[in-house]
Short mmCIF file of all heavy atoms in Angstrom, two decimals:
data_model
loop_
_atom_site.label_atom_id
_atom_site.label_comp_id
_atom_site.label_asym_id
_atom_site.label_seq_id
_atom_site.Cartn_x
_atom_site.Cartn_y
_atom_site.Cartn_z
N GLU A 66 23.50 -6.31 16.02
CA GLU A 66 23.81 -4.93 15.66
C GLU A 66 23.86 -4.75 14.14
O GLU A 66 23.48 -3.71 13.62
CB GLU A 66 25.14 -4.52 16.29
CG GLU A 66 25.46 -3.06 16.11
CD GLU A 66 26.75 -2.65 16.83
OE1 GLU A 66 27.26 -3.43 17.65
OE2 GLU A 66 27.21 -1.55 16.55
N GLN A 67 24.29 -5.79 13.43
CA GLN A 67 24.37 -5.72 11.97
C GLN A 67 23.00 -5.64 11.31
O GLN A 67 22.90 -5.25 10.15
CB GLN A 67 25.12 -6.94 11.42
CG GLN A 67 26.59 -6.89 11.69
CD GLN A 67 27.26 -8.15 11.21
OE1 GLN A 67 27.57 -8.26 10.04
NE2 GLN A 67 27.44 -9.11 12.11
N ARG A 68 21.96 -5.99 12.01
CA ARG A 68 20.61 -5.91 11.44
C ARG A 68 20.07 -4.49 11.45
O ARG A 68 19.19 -4.16 10.65
CB ARG A 68 19.67 -6.83 12.22
CG ARG A 68 20.05 -8.28 12.09
CD ARG A 68 19.14 -9.16 12.91
NE ARG A 68 19.65 -10.54 12.91
CZ ARG A 68 19.06 -11.54 13.52
NH1 ARG A 68 17.94 -11.33 14.20
NH2 ARG A 68 19.56 -12.74 13.47
N THR A 69 20.56 -3.66 12.35
CA THR A 69 20.03 -2.29 12.49
C THR A 69 20.05 -1.50 11.19
O THR A 69 19.04 -0.88 10.84
CB THR A 69 20.77 -1.55 13.62
OG1 THR A 69 20.64 -2.30 14.82
CG2 THR A 69 20.22 -0.15 13.81
N PRO A 70 21.15 -1.50 10.42
CA PRO A 70 21.11 -0.74 9.17
C PRO A 70 20.01 -1.21 8.22
O PRO A 70 19.42 -0.40 7.49
CB PRO A 70 22.50 -0.97 8.56
CG PRO A 70 23.37 -1.31 9.71
CD PRO A 70 22.49 -2.03 10.69
N TYR A 71 19.71 -2.49 8.23
CA TYR A 71 18.65 -3.00 7.37
C TYR A 71 17.28 -2.52 7.84
O TYR A 71 16.42 -2.18 7.02
CB TYR A 71 18.69 -4.53 7.31
CG TYR A 71 19.90 -5.02 6.57
CD1 TYR A 71 21.07 -5.37 7.24
CD2 TYR A 71 19.90 -5.10 5.18
CE1 TYR A 71 22.19 -5.78 6.56
CE2 TYR A 71 21.01 -5.52 4.48
CZ TYR A 71 22.15 -5.86 5.17
OH TYR A 71 23.27 -6.26 4.48
N TYR A 72 17.09 -2.49 9.16
CA TYR A 72 15.82 -2.00 9.69
C TYR A 72 15.64 -0.52 9.35
O TYR A 72 14.52 -0.04 9.20
CB TYR A 72 15.74 -2.22 11.20
CG TYR A 72 15.76 -3.68 11.61
CD1 TYR A 72 16.40 -4.07 12.79
CD2 TYR A 72 15.16 -4.66 10.85
CE1 TYR A 72 16.42 -5.40 13.19
CE2 TYR A 72 15.19 -5.99 11.23
CZ TYR A 72 15.82 -6.35 12.40
OH TYR A 72 15.84 -7.67 12.78
N VAL A 73 16.74 0.21 9.24
CA VAL A 73 16.70 1.62 8.84
C VAL A 73 16.48 1.72 7.33
O VAL A 73 15.71 2.55 6.85
CB VAL A 73 17.99 2.35 9.26
CG1 VAL A 73 18.08 3.74 8.67
CG2 VAL A 73 18.10 2.40 10.79
N ALA A 74 17.16 0.86 6.58
CA ALA A 74 17.15 0.95 5.12
C ALA A 74 15.82 0.55 4.48
O ALA A 74 15.43 1.14 3.47
CB ALA A 74 18.27 0.10 4.53
N ILE A 75 15.15 -0.42 5.02
CA ILE A 75 13.93 -0.92 4.39
C ILE A 75 12.88 0.17 4.22
O ILE A 75 12.36 0.37 3.11
CB ILE A 75 13.37 -2.16 5.13
CG1 ILE A 75 14.32 -3.35 4.90
CG2 ILE A 75 11.96 -2.51 4.67
CD1 ILE A 75 14.03 -4.55 5.78
N PRO A 76 12.52 0.93 5.26
CA PRO A 76 11.52 1.99 5.03
C PRO A 76 12.04 3.10 4.11
O PRO A 76 11.26 3.67 3.33
CB PRO A 76 11.21 2.53 6.43
CG PRO A 76 12.17 1.92 7.36
CD PRO A 76 12.85 0.79 6.68
N ILE A 77 13.34 3.39 4.17
CA ILE A 77 13.89 4.41 3.26
C ILE A 77 13.80 3.93 1.83
O ILE A 77 13.43 4.69 0.92
CB ILE A 77 15.35 4.77 3.64
CG1 ILE A 77 15.39 5.40 5.03
CG2 ILE A 77 15.96 5.71 2.61
CD1 ILE A 77 16.80 5.58 5.58
N ALA A 78 14.11 2.65 1.59
CA ALA A 78 14.02 2.08 0.25
C ALA A 78 12.57 2.08 -0.25
O ALA A 78 12.32 2.35 -1.43
CB ALA A 78 14.59 0.67 0.23
N LEU A 79 11.65 1.81 0.64
CA LEU A 79 10.23 1.84 0.27
C LEU A 79 9.83 3.25 -0.15
O LEU A 79 9.19 3.44 -1.19
CB LEU A 79 9.36 1.36 1.43
CG LEU A 79 7.85 1.38 1.19
CD1 LEU A 79 7.46 0.48 0.03
CD2 LEU A 79 7.12 0.96 2.46
N VAL A 80 10.22 4.24 0.62
CA VAL A 80 9.91 5.63 0.28
C VAL A 80 10.59 6.02 -1.03
O VAL A 80 9.99 6.68 -1.89
CB VAL A 80 10.30 6.59 1.43
CG1 VAL A 80 10.17 8.04 1.01
CG2 VAL A 80 9.44 6.31 2.66
N ALA A 81 11.83 5.59 -1.22
CA ALA A 81 12.56 5.90 -2.46
C ALA A 81 11.86 5.27 -3.66
O ALA A 81 11.74 5.91 -4.72
CB ALA A 81 13.99 5.42 -2.37
N ALA A 82 11.41 4.03 -3.53
CA ALA A 82 10.71 3.36 -4.63
C ALA A 82 9.40 4.07 -4.96
O ALA A 82 9.06 4.28 -6.13
CB ALA A 82 10.46 1.90 -4.29
N ILE A 83 8.67 4.47 -3.93
CA ILE A 83 7.41 5.18 -4.15
C ILE A 83 7.68 6.55 -4.76
O ILE A 83 6.99 6.97 -5.70
CB ILE A 83 6.61 5.30 -2.83
CG1 ILE A 83 6.12 3.93 -2.38
CG2 ILE A 83 5.45 6.28 -2.98
CD1 ILE A 83 5.57 3.89 -0.96
N ALA A 84 8.70 7.23 -4.26
CA ALA A 84 9.05 8.55 -4.80
C ALA A 84 9.48 8.46 -6.25
O ALA A 84 9.08 9.28 -7.09
CB ALA A 84 10.15 9.19 -3.95
N ALA A 85 10.27 7.46 -6.57
CA ALA A 85 10.73 7.30 -7.96
C ALA A 85 9.56 6.95 -8.88
O ALA A 85 9.44 7.51 -9.97
CB ALA A 85 11.80 6.22 -8.03
N ALA A 86 8.69 6.05 -8.43
CA ALA A 86 7.53 5.67 -9.25
C ALA A 86 6.54 6.82 -9.37
O ALA A 86 5.87 6.96 -10.40
CB ALA A 86 6.85 4.45 -8.65
N GLY A 87 6.46 7.64 -8.33
CA GLY A 87 5.52 8.76 -8.34
C GLY A 87 6.09 10.02 -8.95
O GLY A 87 5.48 11.08 -8.87
N ARG A 88 7.26 9.91 -9.54
CA ARG A 88 7.90 11.04 -10.23
C ARG A 88 8.13 12.23 -9.30
O ARG A 88 7.87 13.38 -9.67
CB ARG A 88 7.10 11.44 -11.45
CG ARG A 88 6.99 10.30 -12.43
CD ARG A 88 6.19 10.68 -13.63
NE ARG A 88 6.09 9.51 -14.49
CZ ARG A 88 6.06 9.57 -15.79
NH1 ARG A 88 6.11 10.71 -16.41
NH2 ARG A 88 5.97 8.47 -16.51
N ALA A 89 8.61 11.93 -8.12
CA ALA A 89 8.95 13.00 -7.17
C ALA A 89 10.16 13.77 -7.70
O ALA A 89 10.82 13.35 -8.65
CB ALA A 89 9.27 12.39 -5.81
N ARG A 90 10.45 14.86 -7.06
CA ARG A 90 11.59 15.68 -7.48
C ARG A 90 12.87 14.84 -7.48
O ARG A 90 13.10 14.05 -6.56
CB ARG A 90 11.76 16.86 -6.56
CG ARG A 90 10.59 17.83 -6.65
CD ARG A 90 11.02 19.20 -6.17
NE ARG A 90 9.96 20.15 -6.37
CZ ARG A 90 9.78 20.84 -7.49
NH1 ARG A 90 10.59 20.68 -8.50
NH2 ARG A 90 8.79 21.71 -7.59
N PRO A 91 13.70 15.02 -8.50
CA PRO A 91 14.94 14.23 -8.58
C PRO A 91 15.81 14.34 -7.34
O PRO A 91 16.41 13.35 -6.91
CB PRO A 91 15.64 14.81 -9.81
CG PRO A 91 14.53 15.32 -10.66
CD PRO A 91 13.50 15.84 -9.70
N VAL A 92 15.89 15.52 -6.75
CA VAL A 92 16.75 15.67 -5.57
C VAL A 92 16.25 14.79 -4.41
O VAL A 92 17.05 14.29 -3.63
CB VAL A 92 16.88 17.16 -5.16
CG1 VAL A 92 15.59 17.69 -4.56
CG2 VAL A 92 18.04 17.37 -4.21
N LEU A 93 14.95 14.58 -4.31
CA LEU A 93 14.41 13.70 -3.27
C LEU A 93 14.78 12.25 -3.56
O LEU A 93 15.29 11.55 -2.68
CB LEU A 93 12.89 13.85 -3.16
CG LEU A 93 12.20 12.86 -2.21
CD1 LEU A 93 12.67 13.08 -0.77
CD2 LEU A 93 10.70 12.98 -2.31
N VAL A 94 14.54 11.80 -4.78
CA VAL A 94 14.82 10.41 -5.14
C VAL A 94 16.31 10.12 -5.00
O VAL A 94 16.72 9.15 -4.37
CB VAL A 94 14.34 10.11 -6.58
CG1 VAL A 94 14.75 8.70 -7.01
CG2 VAL A 94 12.82 10.28 -6.68
N ARG A 95 17.13 10.99 -5.58
CA ARG A 95 18.58 10.77 -5.52
C ARG A 95 19.10 10.93 -4.08
O ARG A 95 20.02 10.24 -3.67
CB ARG A 95 19.30 11.72 -6.47
CG ARG A 95 19.09 11.37 -7.94
CD ARG A 95 19.79 12.38 -8.84
NE ARG A 95 19.57 12.11 -10.24
CZ ARG A 95 20.30 11.30 -10.99
NH1 ARG A 95 21.32 10.64 -10.44
NH2 ARG A 95 20.04 11.15 -12.27
N GLY A 96 18.52 11.84 -3.34
CA GLY A 96 18.91 12.02 -1.94
C GLY A 96 18.61 10.78 -1.12
O GLY A 96 19.42 10.36 -0.29
N LEU A 97 17.45 10.18 -1.34
CA LEU A 97 17.10 8.94 -0.63
C LEU A 97 18.06 7.81 -1.03
O LEU A 97 18.48 7.01 -0.17
CB LEU A 97 15.65 8.54 -0.91
CG LEU A 97 14.59 9.43 -0.27
CD1 LEU A 97 13.21 9.12 -0.84
CD2 LEU A 97 14.59 9.26 1.24
N LEU A 98 18.41 7.73 -2.31
CA LEU A 98 19.36 6.71 -2.75
C LEU A 98 20.74 6.95 -2.12
O LEU A 98 21.42 5.99 -1.73
CB LEU A 98 19.46 6.70 -4.28
CG LEU A 98 18.21 6.17 -5.00
CD1 LEU A 98 18.30 6.45 -6.49
CD2 LEU A 98 18.02 4.68 -4.73
N LEU A 99 21.13 8.20 -2.00
CA LEU A 99 22.40 8.53 -1.34
C LEU A 99 22.37 8.10 0.13
O LEU A 99 23.32 7.48 0.63
CB LEU A 99 22.69 10.03 -1.45
CG LEU A 99 23.93 10.53 -0.71
CD1 LEU A 99 25.19 9.86 -1.22
CD2 LEU A 99 24.02 12.05 -0.83
#
């Protein structure tokens, strides 16, 4: 059960990294980090 948050977090972190590198809107990047 402790692995589930990681399985959720990995794709979100990938999207956040791409959004940050691609200069997406700050609310999207910060929202993903939140």
